[in-house]
């Protein structure tokens, strides 16, 4: 049996199984052997490893070992969607799943002594947040950060904030607000100050792609 595996970069807060192909960042060739091995350098993030067979639909037992030079917190994703519980009727159950992909920012304010910044981004949705790693010495970071949210209040907007990392206290660089509507779109938005007033523009833009579905296993 020819075996292999694929490695996909997914949302930083994914806890349920992946249902569509995402950003493939590596994988092995199919080998007719008892084992397959690959060494790969990855940037900080969350990844899904998918064991594969050359023949579609062919199933088999496997043993997966990972070796990393930093703590990896590996775990198996067994559930397809948030489980229904006895509290679902009282507290509600998600009616929408939304993936927010922060692509990049350009022209944000420089707040360090060298005229650059050390920015990171925070995505907030219904009390949950996803924070990207810090990008050093740049005013135009390629964030490439994804968050996945199972939403009970589909009309509630999504907030995205950019901060500059400092030793004592991080400083606010701007924010954008996304509508909570269902659909698939990509936008480049101007950063605004607190309150998101239209007359309160700040330096820089943020490019965001959003994918939403009422079928919780569509992402």
């Amino acid at each position: 049996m020819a075996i292999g595996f694929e490695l996909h970069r997914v949302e930083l807060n994914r806890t349920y199984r992946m249902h569509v192909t995402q950003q493939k960042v590596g994988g092995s060739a199919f080998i007719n052997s008892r084992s397959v091995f690959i060494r790969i350098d990855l940037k900080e993030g969350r990844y899904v490893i998918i064991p594969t067979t050359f023949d579609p639909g062919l199933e088999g037992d496997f043993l997966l070992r990972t070796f990393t030079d930093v703590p990896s917190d590996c775990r198996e994703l067994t559930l397809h969607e948030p489980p229904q519980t006895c509290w679902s009727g009282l507290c509600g159950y998600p009616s929408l799943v939304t993936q927010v992909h922060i692509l990049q920012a350009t022209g944000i304010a420089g707040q360090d002594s060298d005229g650059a910044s050390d920015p990171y981004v925070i995505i907030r949705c219904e009390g949950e947040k996803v924070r990207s790693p810090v990008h050093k010495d740049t005013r135009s970071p390629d964030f490439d950060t994804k968050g996945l949210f199972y939403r009970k209040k589909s009309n509630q907007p999504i907030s995205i904030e950019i901060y500059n990392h400092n030793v004592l206290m991080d400083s606010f660089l701007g924010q954008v607000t996304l509508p909570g509507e269902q659909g698939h779109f990509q936008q480049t938005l101007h950063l605004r100050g607190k309150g998101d007033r239209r007359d309160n523009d700040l330096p820089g833009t943020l490019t965001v792609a959003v994918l939403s579905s009422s079928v919780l296993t569509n992402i």
Side-chain angles (χ1 to χ4, degrees):
M1 179 172 62
I3 61 173
F5 66 86
E6 295 181 353
L7 191 63
H8 293 256
R9 191 162 185 260
V10 298
E11 305 86 358
L12 291 177
N13 62 334
R14 176 173 283 275
T15 56
Y16 302 105
R17 300 187 72 173
M18 190 177 76
H19 301 102
V20 295
T21 301
Q22 298 218 31
Q23 181 184 356
K24 183 179 177 181
V25 296
S28 69
F30 287 104
I31 300 175
N32 190 12
S33 173
R34 288 177 55 88
S35 63
V36 60
F37 173 82
I38 190 173
R39 182 183 181 93
I40 187 171
D41 292 323
L42 300 170
K43 62 182 180 180
E44 182 178 353
R46 180 165 291 190
Y47 299 86
V48 168
I49 303 173
I50 306 175
T52 57
T53 57
F54 181 78
D55 296 318
L58 185 62
E59 297 184 359
D61 296 328
F62 63 88
L63 173 65
L64 178 64
R65 289 193 179 101
T66 59
F67 302 89
T68 62
D69 54 5
V70 295
S72 59
D73 191 27
C74 290
R75 67 188 68 177
E76 182 182 5
L77 301 182
T78 59
L79 298 178
H80 290 277
E81 60 186 340
Q84 294 270 9
T85 69
C86 58
W87 297 103
S88 297
L90 180 63
C91 301
Y93 186 76
S95 60
L96 195 68
V97 58
T98 297
Q99 181 194 78
V100 181
H101 186 183
I102 311 300
L103 299 170
Q104 63 181 4
T106 58
I108 61 177
Q111 297 194 346
D112 295 343
S113 58
D114 58 359
S117 289
D118 298 328
Y120 62 90
V121 66
I122 296 178
I123 311 170
R124 301 182 189 272
C125 180
E126 295 191 31
E128 185 177 358
K129 69 177 182 180
V130 171
R131 172 176 166 166
S132 77
V134 174
H135 292 247
K136 294 288 187 179
D137 299 322
T138 179
R139 295 180 58 200
S140 297
D142 291 322
F143 285 119
D144 191 18
T145 294
K146 295 179 183 178
L148 190 66
F149 304 94
Y150 293 88
R151 302 165 56 197
K152 301 176 183 178
K153 303 173 183 177
S154 59
N155 60 344
Q156 183 171 319
I158 299 168
S159 171
I160 303 170
E161 304 163 353
I162 301 179
Y163 290 87
N164 179 48
H165 177 67
N166 295 303
V167 175
L168 296 179
M169 180 179 294
D170 295 348
S171 52
F172 177 75
L173 294 175
Q175 70 175 13
V176 300
T177 301
L178 303 177
E181 62 196 28
Q182 181 177 342
H184 186 192
F185 59 89
Q186 179 173 317
Q187 291 181 323
T188 297
L189 303 168
H190 284 279
L191 296 178
R192 295 201 171 107
K194 296 288 188 179
D196 200 35
R197 300 196 311 271
R198 293 189 177 275
D199 61 346
N200 196 16
D201 285 352
L202 294 176
T205 62
L206 188 68
T207 302
V208 184
V210 176
L211 175 62
S212 294
S213 176
S214 59
V215 180
L216 301 186
T217 55
N218 267 3
I219 300 178

